[in-house]
Amino acid sequence: MIHTVYIDDEDVDGMKLLKEIRRKNRGVRFAPVKNDYVSPEGYMTVEEFRMEAKKSLTKILNEHGIC
């Protein structure tokens, strides 16, 4: 029988439990984590933020003759 368990890896007890489980060679496997989270309206993804920040910084540097 396979059991699906959700463990909060930001919690101290969750981290300890994961560390213990990872030591086991048989009977334990980890499924790939799905990242299908959609950002709320008006929010940027990390990549969008990085691109906007780089554009803004480049613009400021060019205005002041630094770049």
Side-chain angles (χ1 to χ4, degrees), residues 1-43:
M1 180 182 288
I2 295 176
H3 301 273
T4 302
V5 178
Y6 297 96
I7 301 172
D8 182 3
D9 62 354
E10 293 181 4
D11 181 69
V12 174
D13 290 333
M15 289 171 40
K16 288 178 184 176
L17 186 56
L18 282 173
K19 188 175 181 181
E20 170 101 17
I21 292 172
R22 284 191 177 110
R23 290 188 201 143
K24 306 298 179 187
N25 294 330
R26 296 182 322 179
V28 176
R29 70 177 173 86
F30 289 88
V33 177
K34 288 184 186 176
N35 190 4
D36 55 358
Y37 177 77
V38 178
S39 299
E41 185 67 33
Y43 282 74

